[in-house]
Amino acid sequence: MKFFIDTANLAQIKEAQDLGVLDGVTTNPSLMAKEGITGEANVLDHYRAICDIVDGDVSAEVISTDFEGMVREGEILAALDEKIVVKIPMIKDGVKALKYFSNKGVKTNCTLIFSAGQALMAAKAGASYVSPFIGRLDDISTDGLGLIESIRLIFDNYAFDTEILAASVRHPMHIIECAQIGADVITGPLSAMEALMKHPLTDIGLATFLADHAKANS
Ligand code: E4P
């Protein structure tokens, strides 16, 4: 299972990279805005800076919603670095753009997936990744993890190469359940990954080991 971090914050990306378990980064226009990155030149520079930190795939999202615009933007993004994956929204022109980039051998991530039908269409168009947003589905009392299960079944039935990138992950249980279901990738905040390492019995056990060692060696 791959771990992507869902942020445009360079310090957090570096921290996750230094942990040694990071496989990539996902960003979106809201995350870029949150870091105060505005204007095309600054946005492109920021993607270059992210690519300099990580070893794996870096999803960079197009802003256009028409086919020509998505192709134009996607080509500029893809030319930045071989790690760039062009992130395209699940809309009709987006499906055409996924097919265009798939034919050209450019990796894509189809974002804003909220149904199995959308994931199937993206896979048919040759998307490298589909991003079902499980947290946002949970937010409206819908079964986010159930969607991952449905997509897993469909992709396995037909041996689609498209990877399931569980997005909008909010907490460690999302990651564990995605791993049980068989999502290929999760993307979420650093806090969710760090929480996987925590257990109170680990802390108590370590404190006891260190105290016993100190007593025996005093
Ligand atoms: C996916 O690529 C998105 O950037 C993301 O996971 C959205 O998460 P959110 O619902 O926490 O904003």
Side-chain angles (χ1 to χ4, degrees):
M1 179 187 226
K2 291 189 239 175
F3 280 11
F4 289 179
I5 188 169
D6 194 33
T7 185
N9 182 286
L10 297 181
Q12 284 187 22
I13 293 170
K14 173 100 177 53
E15 203 176 332
Q17 174 67 24
D18 289 348
L19 195 55
V21 299
L22 191 68
D23 300 296
V25 176
T26 52
T27 62
N28 63 41
S30 303
L31 292 171
M32 294 294 273
K34 191 173 162 193
E35 298 306 315
I37 315 298
T38 54
E40 193 185 343
N42 292 332
V43 167
L44 298 180
D45 278 350
H46 201 74
Y47 284 133
R48 280 192 203 94
I50 294 174
C51 289
D52 285 346
I53 298 172
V54 293
D55 291 328
D57 287 347
V58 175
S59 284
E61 188 161 342
V62 298
I63 306 298
S64 302
T65 54
D66 62 298
F67 172 75
E68 289 76 15
M70 284 190 250
V71 165
R72 190 176 56 247
E73 271 187 65
E75 284 181 336
I76 292 170
L77 291 169
L80 284 177
D81 194 293
E82 60 184 16
K83 295 170 191 166
I84 293 286
V85 174
V86 180
K87 200 172 179 191
I88 295 173
M90 171 35 76
I91 52 176
K92 199 168 175 182
D93 277 30
V95 170
K96 291 184 199 167
L98 290 171
K99 187 68 188 170
Y100 172 89
F101 284 118
S102 164
N103 287 342
K104 294 211 141 199
V106 172
K107 287 182 91 171
T108 52
N109 173 358
C110 186
T111 189
L112 292 167
I113 295 281
F114 292 96
S115 76
Q118 291 178 321
L120 178 57
M121 280 300 284
K124 286 285 293 173
S128 315
Y129 297 101
V130 288
S131 288
F133 280 31
I134 59 175
R136 292 193 193 186
L137 283 170
D138 289 355
D139 288 346
I140 57 158
S141 307
T142 311
D143 186 8
L145 289 161
L147 175 59
I148 302 292
E149 266 172 342
S150 301
I151 299 172
R152 180 76 282 154
L153 178 66
I154 292 168
F155 284 10
D156 288 350
N157 279 347
Y158 298 99
F160 280 116
D161 290 336
T162 304
E163 293 185 64
I164 302 173
L165 197 176
S168 189
V169 157
R170 300 273 162 79
H171 50 72
M173 283 314 293
H174 268 158
I175 301 179
I176 292 163
E177 291 182 66
C178 280
Q180 286 167 343
I181 293 166
D184 300 290
V185 192
I186 60 90
T187 191
L190 182 59
S191 60
M193 290 177 221
E194 286 180 335
L196 288 177
M197 297 182 281
K198 292 183 186 147
H199 197 288
L201 290 179
T202 303
D203 298 338
I204 293 167
L206 183 60
T208 306
F209 287 159
L210 295 180
D212 289 346
H213 172 81
K215 209 186 298 171
N217 288 277
S218 60

Short mmCIF file of all heavy atoms in Angstrom, two decimals, residues 148-183:
data_model
loop_
_atom_site.label_atom_id
_atom_site.label_comp_id
_atom_site.label_asym_id
_atom_site.label_seq_id
_atom_site.Cartn_x
_atom_site.Cartn_y
_atom_site.Cartn_z
N ILE A 148 -15.04 2.42 -1.56
CA ILE A 148 -13.73 1.80 -1.88
C ILE A 148 -13.93 0.31 -2.18
O ILE A 148 -13.36 -0.23 -3.13
CB ILE A 148 -12.73 1.98 -0.71
CG1 ILE A 148 -12.53 3.46 -0.35
CG2 ILE A 148 -11.39 1.30 -1.02
CD1 ILE A 148 -11.82 4.28 -1.39
N GLU A 149 -14.78 -0.34 -1.37
CA GLU A 149 -15.06 -1.78 -1.58
C GLU A 149 -15.66 -2.03 -2.97
O GLU A 149 -15.24 -2.94 -3.68
CB GLU A 149 -16.05 -2.28 -0.52
CG GLU A 149 -15.38 -2.88 0.67
CD GLU A 149 -16.36 -3.20 1.80
OE1 GLU A 149 -17.49 -2.66 1.81
OE2 GLU A 149 -15.96 -3.96 2.66
N SER A 150 -16.64 -1.19 -3.34
CA SER A 150 -17.29 -1.37 -4.66
C SER A 150 -16.29 -1.20 -5.79
O SER A 150 -16.28 -1.99 -6.75
CB SER A 150 -18.40 -0.34 -4.88
OG SER A 150 -19.35 -0.43 -3.91
N ILE A 151 -15.47 -0.17 -5.67
CA ILE A 151 -14.50 0.09 -6.76
C ILE A 151 -13.47 -1.04 -6.84
O ILE A 151 -13.11 -1.50 -7.92
CB ILE A 151 -13.80 1.46 -6.56
CG1 ILE A 151 -14.84 2.59 -6.57
CG2 ILE A 151 -12.77 1.69 -7.64
CD1 ILE A 151 -14.27 3.96 -6.19
N ARG A 152 -13.05 -1.54 -5.66
CA ARG A 152 -12.08 -2.66 -5.64
C ARG A 152 -12.63 -3.86 -6.40
O ARG A 152 -11.95 -4.47 -7.21
CB ARG A 152 -11.75 -3.01 -4.18
CG ARG A 152 -10.78 -4.13 -3.92
CD ARG A 152 -9.32 -3.75 -4.17
NE ARG A 152 -8.96 -3.74 -5.57
CZ ARG A 152 -7.98 -3.01 -6.09
NH1 ARG A 152 -7.23 -2.22 -5.37
NH2 ARG A 152 -7.73 -3.06 -7.38
N LEU A 153 -13.92 -4.16 -6.11
CA LEU A 153 -14.57 -5.31 -6.75
C LEU A 153 -14.62 -5.13 -8.27
O LEU A 153 -14.26 -6.02 -9.04
CB LEU A 153 -15.99 -5.48 -6.18
CG LEU A 153 -16.84 -6.61 -6.77
CD1 LEU A 153 -16.23 -7.97 -6.43
CD2 LEU A 153 -18.27 -6.54 -6.24
N ILE A 154 -15.04 -3.94 -8.70
CA ILE A 154 -15.16 -3.68 -10.15
C ILE A 154 -13.80 -3.75 -10.84
O ILE A 154 -13.65 -4.39 -11.89
CB ILE A 154 -15.82 -2.29 -10.37
CG1 ILE A 154 -17.28 -2.32 -9.93
CG2 ILE A 154 -15.71 -1.87 -11.84
CD1 ILE A 154 -17.94 -0.95 -9.83
N PHE A 155 -12.80 -3.11 -10.24
CA PHE A 155 -11.47 -3.09 -10.88
C PHE A 155 -10.89 -4.51 -10.93
O PHE A 155 -10.23 -4.87 -11.91
CB PHE A 155 -10.53 -2.13 -10.15
CG PHE A 155 -10.78 -0.66 -10.43
CD1 PHE A 155 -11.92 -0.25 -11.11
CD2 PHE A 155 -9.89 0.31 -10.01
CE1 PHE A 155 -12.17 1.10 -11.37
CE2 PHE A 155 -10.11 1.66 -10.27
CZ PHE A 155 -11.26 2.05 -10.94
N ASP A 156 -11.14 -5.30 -9.89
CA ASP A 156 -10.61 -6.68 -9.88
C ASP A 156 -11.36 -7.56 -10.89
O ASP A 156 -10.76 -8.40 -11.54
CB ASP A 156 -10.71 -7.29 -8.48
CG ASP A 156 -9.70 -6.67 -7.52
OD1 ASP A 156 -8.82 -5.91 -7.98
OD2 ASP A 156 -9.79 -6.93 -6.30
N ASN A 157 -12.67 -7.34 -11.02
CA ASN A 157 -13.46 -8.13 -11.98
C ASN A 157 -12.90 -8.04 -13.39
O ASN A 157 -12.95 -8.98 -14.16
CB ASN A 157 -14.92 -7.62 -12.04
CG ASN A 157 -15.76 -8.15 -10.90
OD1 ASN A 157 -15.34 -9.06 -10.21
ND2 ASN A 157 -16.94 -7.57 -10.71
N TYR A 158 -12.39 -6.84 -13.72
CA TYR A 158 -11.94 -6.62 -15.11
C TYR A 158 -10.44 -6.36 -15.21
O TYR A 158 -9.97 -5.94 -16.27
CB TYR A 158 -12.76 -5.47 -15.72
CG TYR A 158 -14.22 -5.83 -15.77
CD1 TYR A 158 -15.11 -5.39 -14.81
CD2 TYR A 158 -14.69 -6.70 -16.76
CE1 TYR A 158 -16.44 -5.78 -14.83
CE2 TYR A 158 -16.01 -7.10 -16.79
CZ TYR A 158 -16.88 -6.63 -15.82
OH TYR A 158 -18.19 -7.04 -15.84
N ALA A 159 -9.72 -6.55 -14.11
CA ALA A 159 -8.26 -6.37 -14.10
C ALA A 159 -7.85 -5.00 -14.65
O ALA A 159 -6.91 -4.89 -15.44
CB ALA A 159 -7.58 -7.49 -14.87
N PHE A 160 -8.57 -3.96 -14.22
CA PHE A 160 -8.15 -2.60 -14.59
C PHE A 160 -6.81 -2.29 -13.91
O PHE A 160 -6.60 -2.65 -12.75
CB PHE A 160 -9.17 -1.56 -14.11
CG PHE A 160 -10.38 -1.43 -15.00
CD1 PHE A 160 -11.65 -1.77 -14.52
CD2 PHE A 160 -10.28 -0.96 -16.30
CE1 PHE A 160 -12.78 -1.65 -15.31
CE2 PHE A 160 -11.41 -0.84 -17.11
CZ PHE A 160 -12.65 -1.19 -16.62
N ASP A 161 -5.93 -1.60 -14.63
CA ASP A 161 -4.64 -1.20 -14.04
C ASP A 161 -4.78 0.02 -13.14
O ASP A 161 -3.88 0.33 -12.36
CB ASP A 161 -3.64 -0.82 -15.16
CG ASP A 161 -3.21 -2.05 -15.93
OD1 ASP A 161 -3.29 -3.15 -15.35
OD2 ASP A 161 -2.82 -1.90 -17.11
N THR A 162 -5.86 0.76 -13.28
CA THR A 162 -6.07 2.00 -12.52
C THR A 162 -5.98 1.72 -11.02
O THR A 162 -6.60 0.78 -10.52
CB THR A 162 -7.47 2.57 -12.84
OG1 THR A 162 -7.56 2.74 -14.27
CG2 THR A 162 -7.71 3.89 -12.13
N GLU A 163 -5.18 2.55 -10.34
CA GLU A 163 -5.01 2.35 -8.89
C GLU A 163 -6.06 3.15 -8.11
O GLU A 163 -6.40 4.28 -8.48
CB GLU A 163 -3.60 2.78 -8.46
CG GLU A 163 -2.52 1.87 -9.02
CD GLU A 163 -1.15 2.22 -8.49
OE1 GLU A 163 -0.92 2.10 -7.28
OE2 GLU A 163 -0.31 2.63 -9.31
N ILE A 164 -6.54 2.53 -7.04
CA ILE A 164 -7.51 3.20 -6.16
C ILE A 164 -6.75 4.01 -5.12
O ILE A 164 -6.04 3.45 -4.28
CB ILE A 164 -8.43 2.18 -5.46
CG1 ILE A 164 -9.17 1.32 -6.49
CG2 ILE A 164 -9.42 2.90 -4.54
CD1 ILE A 164 -9.98 0.17 -5.88
N LEU A 165 -6.90 5.32 -5.23
CA LEU A 165 -6.22 6.26 -4.32
C LEU A 165 -7.27 6.82 -3.36
O LEU A 165 -8.01 7.75 -3.70
CB LEU A 165 -5.60 7.39 -5.18
CG LEU A 165 -4.51 8.30 -4.60
CD1 LEU A 165 -4.01 9.26 -5.68
CD2 LEU A 165 -4.92 9.05 -3.37
N ALA A 166 -7.39 6.20 -2.20
CA ALA A 166 -8.40 6.64 -1.24
C ALA A 166 -8.02 8.03 -0.73
O ALA A 166 -6.98 8.20 -0.09
CB ALA A 166 -8.50 5.65 -0.09
N ALA A 167 -8.87 9.01 -1.04
CA ALA A 167 -8.56 10.41 -0.72
C ALA A 167 -9.51 10.92 0.36
O ALA A 167 -10.45 10.23 0.76
CB ALA A 167 -8.68 11.27 -1.97
N SER A 168 -9.21 12.15 0.82
CA SER A 168 -10.03 12.74 1.88
C SER A 168 -10.00 11.84 3.12
O SER A 168 -11.00 11.70 3.82
CB SER A 168 -11.46 12.95 1.35
OG SER A 168 -12.25 13.69 2.23
N VAL A 169 -8.85 11.23 3.35
CA VAL A 169 -8.63 10.41 4.55
C VAL A 169 -8.46 11.36 5.72
O VAL A 169 -7.76 12.36 5.63
CB VAL A 169 -7.37 9.53 4.34
CG1 VAL A 169 -6.77 9.08 5.65
CG2 VAL A 169 -7.72 8.33 3.46
N ARG A 170 -9.13 11.05 6.84
CA ARG A 170 -9.13 12.00 7.95
C ARG A 170 -8.42 11.48 9.20
O ARG A 170 -8.04 12.26 10.05
CB ARG A 170 -10.57 12.34 8.32
CG ARG A 170 -11.39 12.95 7.20
CD ARG A 170 -11.21 14.47 7.14
NE ARG A 170 -11.63 15.03 5.87
CZ ARG A 170 -12.89 15.26 5.52
NH1 ARG A 170 -13.86 14.98 6.35
NH2 ARG A 170 -13.15 15.79 4.34
N HIS A 171 -8.35 10.13 9.36
CA HIS A 171 -7.84 9.59 10.63
C HIS A 171 -7.25 8.20 10.39
O HIS A 171 -7.45 7.61 9.32
CB HIS A 171 -8.97 9.56 11.67
CG HIS A 171 -10.23 8.92 11.17
ND1 HIS A 171 -10.33 7.57 10.96
CD2 HIS A 171 -11.42 9.46 10.81
CE1 HIS A 171 -11.54 7.29 10.51
NE2 HIS A 171 -12.23 8.42 10.40
N PRO A 172 -6.54 7.66 11.41
CA PRO A 172 -5.85 6.38 11.21
C PRO A 172 -6.77 5.21 10.87
O PRO A 172 -6.38 4.32 10.12
CB PRO A 172 -5.11 6.15 12.53
CG PRO A 172 -5.72 7.09 13.52
CD PRO A 172 -6.24 8.24 12.75
N MET A 173 -8.00 5.19 11.42
CA MET A 173 -8.89 4.06 11.11
C MET A 173 -9.26 4.03 9.63
O MET A 173 -9.46 2.97 9.05
CB MET A 173 -10.16 4.10 11.99
CG MET A 173 -9.94 3.62 13.41
SD MET A 173 -8.98 2.07 13.53
CE MET A 173 -10.10 0.89 12.78
N HIS A 174 -9.36 5.21 9.00
CA HIS A 174 -9.58 5.23 7.55
C HIS A 174 -8.45 4.48 6.85
O HIS A 174 -8.68 3.69 5.93
CB HIS A 174 -9.58 6.68 7.04
CG HIS A 174 -10.94 7.32 6.99
ND1 HIS A 174 -11.12 8.69 7.00
CD2 HIS A 174 -12.19 6.79 6.91
CE1 HIS A 174 -12.42 8.97 6.94
NE2 HIS A 174 -13.09 7.84 6.88
N ILE A 175 -7.21 4.73 7.30
CA ILE A 175 -6.05 4.10 6.63
C ILE A 175 -6.08 2.58 6.85
O ILE A 175 -5.91 1.80 5.91
CB ILE A 175 -4.71 4.68 7.16
CG1 ILE A 175 -4.66 6.19 6.93
CG2 ILE A 175 -3.52 3.98 6.51
CD1 ILE A 175 -3.39 6.87 7.43
N ILE A 176 -6.36 2.17 8.09
CA ILE A 176 -6.37 0.73 8.40
C ILE A 176 -7.47 0.03 7.60
O ILE A 176 -7.25 -1.01 6.99
CB ILE A 176 -6.54 0.53 9.92
CG1 ILE A 176 -5.29 1.02 10.65
CG2 ILE A 176 -6.81 -0.94 10.25
CD1 ILE A 176 -5.47 1.25 12.13
N GLU A 177 -8.67 0.64 7.56
CA GLU A 177 -9.76 -0.01 6.84
C GLU A 177 -9.51 -0.02 5.33
O GLU A 177 -9.84 -0.98 4.64
CB GLU A 177 -11.10 0.63 7.22
CG GLU A 177 -11.43 0.28 8.68
CD GLU A 177 -12.76 0.83 9.14
OE1 GLU A 177 -13.78 0.38 8.62
OE2 GLU A 177 -12.78 1.70 10.02
N CYS A 178 -8.90 1.04 4.82
CA CYS A 178 -8.54 1.05 3.39
C CYS A 178 -7.54 -0.06 3.10
O CYS A 178 -7.60 -0.71 2.05
CB CYS A 178 -7.93 2.40 2.99
SG CYS A 178 -9.18 3.66 2.72
N ALA A 179 -6.62 -0.30 4.03
CA ALA A 179 -5.63 -1.37 3.84
C ALA A 179 -6.32 -2.74 3.86
O ALA A 179 -5.97 -3.63 3.09
CB ALA A 179 -4.56 -1.30 4.94
N GLN A 180 -7.32 -2.89 4.73
CA GLN A 180 -8.05 -4.17 4.80
C GLN A 180 -8.83 -4.42 3.51
O GLN A 180 -8.91 -5.53 3.01
CB GLN A 180 -9.00 -4.17 6.00
CG GLN A 180 -8.26 -4.33 7.32
CD GLN A 180 -9.13 -4.03 8.54
OE1 GLN A 180 -10.19 -3.42 8.42
NE2 GLN A 180 -8.68 -4.46 9.70
N ILE A 181 -9.41 -3.34 2.97
CA ILE A 181 -10.23 -3.48 1.76
C ILE A 181 -9.35 -3.72 0.53
O ILE A 181 -9.75 -4.38 -0.42
CB ILE A 181 -11.11 -2.22 1.56
CG1 ILE A 181 -12.15 -2.12 2.68
CG2 ILE A 181 -11.79 -2.24 0.20
CD1 ILE A 181 -12.83 -0.76 2.77
N GLY A 182 -8.15 -3.14 0.58
CA GLY A 182 -7.25 -3.31 -0.57
C GLY A 182 -7.12 -2.08 -1.46
O GLY A 182 -6.85 -2.22 -2.66
N ALA A 183 -7.32 -0.89 -0.87
CA ALA A 183 -7.02 0.34 -1.65
C ALA A 183 -5.53 0.31 -1.97
O ALA A 183 -4.72 -0.17 -1.17
CB ALA A 183 -7.36 1.57 -0.81
#
